[in-house]
Amino acid sequence: MTALARPREDPAQARVLLHGVSWETYERLLAEHEESAGPRFTYDNGLLEIMTLSIEHEEPNRTLASLVELVLGEWERDFLRAGSNTFKRRDLAKGFEPDSCFYLRQPERVRGKRRLDLATDPAPDLVIEIEVTSAALPRLPIFAAIGVPEVWRSDGSAVQILALQESGYEDTAASTMMPGLNADTIADILSRSREMKGFAWMREVREWAQAHRP
């Protein structure tokens, strides 16, 4: 296992990229960190990115995840939060741990399961991806290979909604997983979270959701 690159230290996301990493080594590292909230691992055909996070990364991640939950709650739509659970497929030699993710279409298919097997279980319907700095290992091709239908990608301010097509992800103005939400609205709500007290922001999001219920 050889270090391919060590990007400069960044206060938001410190990354190390390794190559020549076997699937067995990847799984061993996952097992060793299973009970910790430490580094996050992304794997793609022998390339392994190890990333540590800080509040600059986690604040927009948690805010966007809260937005999803608050809106779906007001819309009385079932969902399952899967957080940063590990998703991997040995046959594809790919694995990732999202910043946040949700099952929206058929959450009952995975509800109550302690382990997910993507050979038989579906991929999450919505992944939230925060990119305060450029990823050392591109994650969109991994999401596409595993079959994630929609990705919300944000640099902490702007928000991009990406929908999976046959050719890969395409930028789209509005969410298909949560009709009624578009990229500008999501970015505005994210910005408002930094200007308001937490409880007031949550109340405002609920009021928006009630007024825009499909």
Side-chain angles (χ1 to χ4, degrees):
M1 186 167 65
T2 306
L4 176 63
R6 180 183 289 274
R8 65 179 178 82
E9 292 298 311
D10 184 277
Q13 297 169 312
R15 306 172 187 267
V16 173
L17 183 62
L18 308 174
H19 75 106
V21 180
S22 68
W23 184 263
E24 290 73 21
T25 298
Y26 167 57
E27 291 203 314
R28 186 175 70 250
L29 288 168
L30 290 176
E32 290 173 353
H33 293 84
E34 188 173 17
E35 302 302 325
S36 72
R40 192 162 295 170
F41 299 97
T42 304
Y43 186 86
D44 190 2
N45 286 293
L47 293 174
L48 177 67
E49 182 187 81
I50 305 172
M51 180 176 70
T52 58
L53 309 175
S54 77
I55 190 170
E56 187 181 352
H57 176 279
E58 284 299 275
E59 186 271 332
N61 171 38
R62 301 286 179 168
T63 300
L64 290 175
S66 295
L67 164 63
V68 172
E69 295 179 12
L70 290 167
V71 170
L72 291 176
E74 292 301 319
W75 289 354
E76 296 184 336
R77 275 189 57 188
D78 190 16
F79 67 93
L80 186 141
R81 61 180 73 83
S84 56
N85 181 69
T86 301
F87 296 91
K88 54 189 173 72
R89 279 187 55 175
R90 181 167 189 156
D91 60 323
L92 298 176
K94 299 182 189 298
F96 70 93
E97 294 169 321
D99 292 321
S100 293
C101 70
F102 295 86
Y103 284 89
L104 305 177
R105 287 172 169 167
Q106 294 180 297
E108 68 278 1
R109 289 185 59 186
V110 296
R111 181 171 285 118
K113 292 190 174 183
R114 294 179 60 86
R115 303 278 181 180
L116 296 178
D117 180 359
L118 292 187
T120 54
D121 294 319
D125 296 305
L126 172 63
V127 160
I128 293 171
E129 174 77 354
I130 306 300
E131 291 189 0
V132 181
T133 59
S134 298
L137 180 59
R139 290 158 66 88
L140 288 180
I142 301 174
F143 298 158
I146 287 178
V148 176
E150 184 169 304
V151 177
W152 292 3
R153 187 165 63 176
S154 175
D155 61 2
S157 298
V159 175
Q160 184 180 29
I161 298 175
L162 300 167
L164 183 60
Q165 308 294 336
E166 289 186 6
S167 58
Y169 286 101
E170 293 185 6
D171 197 347
T172 180
S175 172
T176 57
M177 291 293 110
M178 297 180 64
L181 271 173
N182 60 51
D184 290 339
T185 298
I186 297 169
D188 181 61
I189 293 173
L190 178 61
S191 175
R192 294 280 289 164
S193 72
R194 300 191 180 98
E195 304 167 356
M196 306 172 65
K197 293 182 177 180
F199 68 87
W201 177 82
M202 293 174 69
R203 181 171 61 236
E204 186 172 277
V205 172
R206 290 191 180 102
E207 290 173 350
W208 180 93
Q210 291 168 6
H212 296 83
R213 181 168 178 165

